[in-house]
Amino acid sequence: AVDWRLIEAYVLESQGDLSSALRLYEDARVRVGSTWQSSILAISARRRIEPEWDAVPAIQSLMQSDILSPAAFSECCLLLGDVYLQRRQNANARRWWEYAVASGMDSPELRVRLAMAQAGPGGNQDRARELLANVTEEDPGNPDSWNAYAKLLLSTKDFRG
């Protein structure tokens, strides 16, 4: 069943009423019988609305809850990767994104994010190249993957491609 509070919250957020939107997202998240999707949406919204908020405890709490499913685990890993990348903790971002990939999440966007983190300090250049080559082959119209691939090849001085 659709929780209409989530739709109303999204509309309010898009109209700039951030405090009302956040209140509705949180109401949907904590109600009895709420889904993991409600929690993910509430956490994501709060990160957008309150950029200084530390989302890690809320994500970890969701990961330890009874409503955790394989899909929820993947989404939590994706969110944790984003949080750690924002904090410039590339090793943690890479770790969580690798967990997301290993748990079955396989979107081109995730693979580009992971490749960019792998291409950075302390990462695995070969893993980055493998991920980006795969995405550009699978989705040749994806400009983000081509830009990331070109940046990687330039940084490694691989002018052969």
Side-chain angles (χ1 to χ4, degrees), residues 11-120:
V11 170
L12 288 170
E13 183 182 356
S14 67
Q15 293 173 342
D17 188 354
L18 304 181
S19 61
S20 296
L22 187 55
R23 190 170 46 258
L24 283 172
Y25 281 123
E26 285 297 319
D27 287 349
R29 183 180 71 82
V30 299
R31 76 174 169 77
V32 173
S34 74
T35 63
W36 63 265
Q37 293 95 332
S38 296
S39 293
I40 293 288
L41 288 170
I43 291 166
S44 297
R46 187 159 178 198
R47 285 187 66 226
R48 286 190 306 274
I49 294 168
E50 298 176 8
E52 71 286 348
W53 177 65
D54 182 7
V56 172
I59 299 167
Q60 289 173 335
S61 175
L62 175 58
M63 292 178 85
Q64 296 168 357
S65 72
D66 292 339
I67 61 173
L68 187 70
S69 67
F73 177 79
S74 296
E75 289 291 337
C76 287
C77 291
L78 180 66
L79 274 175
L80 285 168
D82 290 344
V83 167
Y84 286 116
L85 184 68
Q86 186 177 32
R87 293 179 181 176
R88 300 192 192 305
Q89 295 178 10
N90 285 6
N92 282 331
R94 285 190 296 271
R95 178 172 57 107
W96 286 106
W97 286 335
E98 287 287 3
Y99 287 154
V101 170
S103 68
M105 184 177 270
D106 193 34
S107 70
E109 294 79 15
L110 170 59
R111 285 181 277 148
V112 169
R113 284 179 185 163
L114 176 55
M116 292 171 60
Q118 288 288 9

